[in-house]
Amino acid sequence: MNETMKVDRRDAKLAMAHIYVAFIALALGGFAGLLQVLVRSGKFTLPANISYYTILTTHGVLLGLVLTTFFIIGFQFAAMSRTAGTFSNQVRTWGWVGFWMMTIGTAMTAFFILIGEASVLFTFYAPLQAHPGFYLGLTLVVVGSWISGFTMFAHYAKWKKANPGKTSPLLTFMSVANMILWLVCTLGVAATVLIQLLPWSLGLIDRINVLVSRTLFWYFGHPLVYFWLLPAYMVWYVVIPKIIGGKIFSDALARLSFILFLFFSIPVGFHHQLLEPGIDPFWKYVQVILTFMVVIPSLMTAFSMFATFEMYGRSKGATGLFGWLRKLPWGDARFFAPFVGMLFFIPAGAGGLVNASHQLNQVVHNTIWVTGHFHLTLATTVVLTFFGAAYWLIPHLTGRVMTKTMNRLAIVQTVVWAIGMCFMSGSMHFAGLLGAPRRSAFSTYGNSPQALEWIPYQIAQAIGGTILFIGIILVLVIVTNLAFFAPKGETEFPVGEVAETAERTPLVFENWKLWIGITVALILIAYTIPFIDMIQNAPPGSKGYKLW
Ligand code: HAS
Ligand code: CU
């Protein structure tokens, strides 16, 4: 076996470079978030004529796109080096090329947002238009991430060659699956940026088909959220069992759930466009059904996590229905933070089902309920799991150890985050049900009679947002400590073993040709006809070019 227990120092540097950028994005994006809740409370105005939308774009892009992508790629590089062996020099060099392209792209994008030339929000829908530099920066980020993806595929191929007939290490398999998902879905955003938005913002064409651009965006936008979620699932499936001292419930089930995510993540973008005219209700219906299919692998994950916890608890002598809960290592932040993330995913997922239900979507669409939904899913479930991973990943990569004090601070951080999010996301959900719009500054509706009803919730959001900002400061203190100041030493990169009782993993899971084939077929079924409709029925005045 060429498995290593420790990530090679040179690979560790590559992974850490990504993680630094991720946490810098957290610091800046978190500050923008604080400003936002203060503005929305109606008690604060931004100085120097800065637009609310500039701040909102900064927040969404830095946290939704930069923090996530950098953390995920850094984490997956580390996971692959740990489980499939040290990178070759060539793989590592390409990893750095990807990193620098993404970083330069991010800097460009951030620059145009901060000078107020790209206040287009993280979804950058037309007809909002940004400076061409914003789209070019995004393109660099995406192309850089593709390079990182192919780098990971190359490393995986090398492992396969050296280990014919063997199932690949679980974390490596999962990283590859997530990068395939990413590659397939980013084709949509690359298409709208390169064929539509960039030429339009350069003035080469004077109009674009907005419906096509939104559809291409959501072809990407939904799988994007699973690209965020799957690394959290990697931690839940593989790392958490080891941390609690238990076993992975089933390797095959974990692989199956990742394959199902690949199939059903992409052909579901219409659930973000349910209220959009111009899409035949039949195709919305098809995609809603597929959305409910993609819930299944999450339910499998919930089942698997419960099984892991219960098996472990019972092996320690727990009895009764929930006796196993008492046996879990509550004082260990590496467990506690992701566990709280799991707990929040129960209401978060339920909210997702509400969103996806066509009729209920009419109540919540474009209200701040949706913002509440993704602050539970992304900003709690995923982010708390990433924090929990950082608590062992960073010291592992920097050759340090987490002290008891830092561990205690991390527990406090998790509690602070949970309380802040209850206030913030809870009030967002309620205000959304009362019709409070998302993405609106107080000044735009502050005097309407209906808005009076929303005020208490906006104040609760400001309180929650302030608590969360304290949470961000705490995590930055911990991360800085782990990266630069914690005592030198060895920290484990925990990788769980599969329970003896589990079935052997069938080799068919590595049949990527088959899985990609099914993925493409599902995409074609879900999108071909509605897409032809959109182009054929493009609005008048399109000068013969149906895409713009
Ligand atoms: Fe969503 C909008 C539907 C999941 C993120 N979503 C968004 C947006 C974002 C986002 C960012 O159908 C806004 C985009 C924008 O700016 O417009 N979402 C869903 C559905 C799911 C879902 C059906 N979303 C996510 C995840 C995200 C995310 C994950 C980020 C990471 N979402 C929608 C829809 C919209 C939407 C519509 C559009 C709304 C509109 O009108 O604009 C599902 O995948 C959820 C399935 C999850 C579950 C939960 C399983 C529970 C588990 C935990 C087990 C706990 C344990 C601990 C083991 C069914 C796995 C237990 C211990 C104990 C002691 C109890
Ligand atoms: Cu979605």
Side-chain angles (χ1 to χ4, degrees), residues 100-267:
W100 281 111
M101 277 184 85
M102 281 173 46
T103 306
I104 294 167
T106 300
M108 253 174 95
T109 306
F111 173 77
F112 286 104
I113 297 172
L114 290 174
I115 63 167
E117 291 287 327
S119 300
V120 292
L121 313 184
F122 88 105
T123 42
F124 47 92
Y125 290 148
L128 291 176
Q129 193 187 54
H131 189 284
F134 171 84
Y135 302 112
L136 278 173
L138 282 182
T139 306
L140 278 179
V141 174
V142 170
V143 176
S145 73
W146 286 347
I147 292 178
S148 304
F150 280 106
T151 305
M152 291 179 200
F153 299 154
H155 189 57
Y156 169 73
K158 193 179 139 216
W159 188 95
K160 290 294 286 176
K161 224 170 157 187
N163 299 272
K166 282 199 194 151
T167 30
S168 55
L170 188 50
L171 274 180
T172 292
F173 175 92
M174 291 169 149
S175 304
V176 168
N178 201 28
M179 282 331 261
I180 296 177
L181 174 69
W182 178 247
L183 258 102
V184 178
C185 79
T186 42
L187 290 174
V189 72
T192 177
V193 168
L194 294 177
I195 304 174
Q196 298 188 298
L197 298 171
L198 186 58
W200 174 58
S201 107
L202 285 167
L204 301 177
I205 48 178
D206 51 47
R207 61 182 78 221
I208 59 175
N209 184 328
V210 171
L211 184 56
V212 167
S213 76
R214 290 168 64 98
T215 303
L216 287 170
F217 182 84
W218 285 118
Y219 163 98
F220 154 78
H222 185 78
L224 168 70
V225 314
Y226 292 131
F227 173 72
W228 300 333
L229 181 69
L230 291 191
Y233 278 11
M234 294 183 204
V235 173
W236 296 4
Y237 274 114
V238 184
V239 174
I240 293 295
K242 177 75 179 191
I243 289 175
I244 66 173
K247 292 273 165 70
I248 298 174
F249 168 67
S250 161
D251 174 286
L253 182 143
R255 285 178 209 249
L256 177 63
S257 83
F258 272 59
I259 298 294
L260 291 177
F261 273 114
L262 183 59
F263 291 169
F264 296 117
S265 285
I266 304 165

Side-chain angles (χ1 to χ4, degrees), residues 218 221-223 225-226 268-269 271-272 291 373:
W218 285 118
H222 185 78
V225 314
Y226 292 131
V268 298
H271 70 225
H272 294 264
T291 302
H373 163 68

Side-chain angles (χ1 to χ4, degrees), residues 122-123 218 222 225-226 228-229 233 236 271-272 291 295 298-299 301-302 305-306 309 325 339 342-343 345-346 349 352-353 355-356 361 365 370 373-374 377-378 382 438-439:
F122 88 105
T123 42
W218 285 118
H222 185 78
V225 314
Y226 292 131
W228 300 333
L229 181 69
Y233 278 11
W236 296 4
H271 70 225
H272 294 264
T291 302
V295 171
S298 281
L299 294 176
T301 306
M305 294 321 297
F306 274 113
F309 295 149
L325 270 174
F339 185 89
M342 288 177 206
L343 220 52
F345 202 41
I346 297 172
L353 298 179
N355 296 345
N361 187 266
H365 184 64
V370 173
H373 163 68
F374 68 73
T377 49
L378 173 61
V382 170
R438 69 185 283 203
R439 299 180 149 173

Side-chain angles (χ1 to χ4, degrees), residues 376-400:
L376 288 184
T377 49
L378 173 61
T380 311
T381 301
V382 170
V383 161
L384 274 184
T385 303
F386 288 180
F387 291 169
Y391 300 149
W392 50 262
L393 183 60
I394 296 177
H396 178 91
L397 297 175
T398 55
R400 298 177 186 274

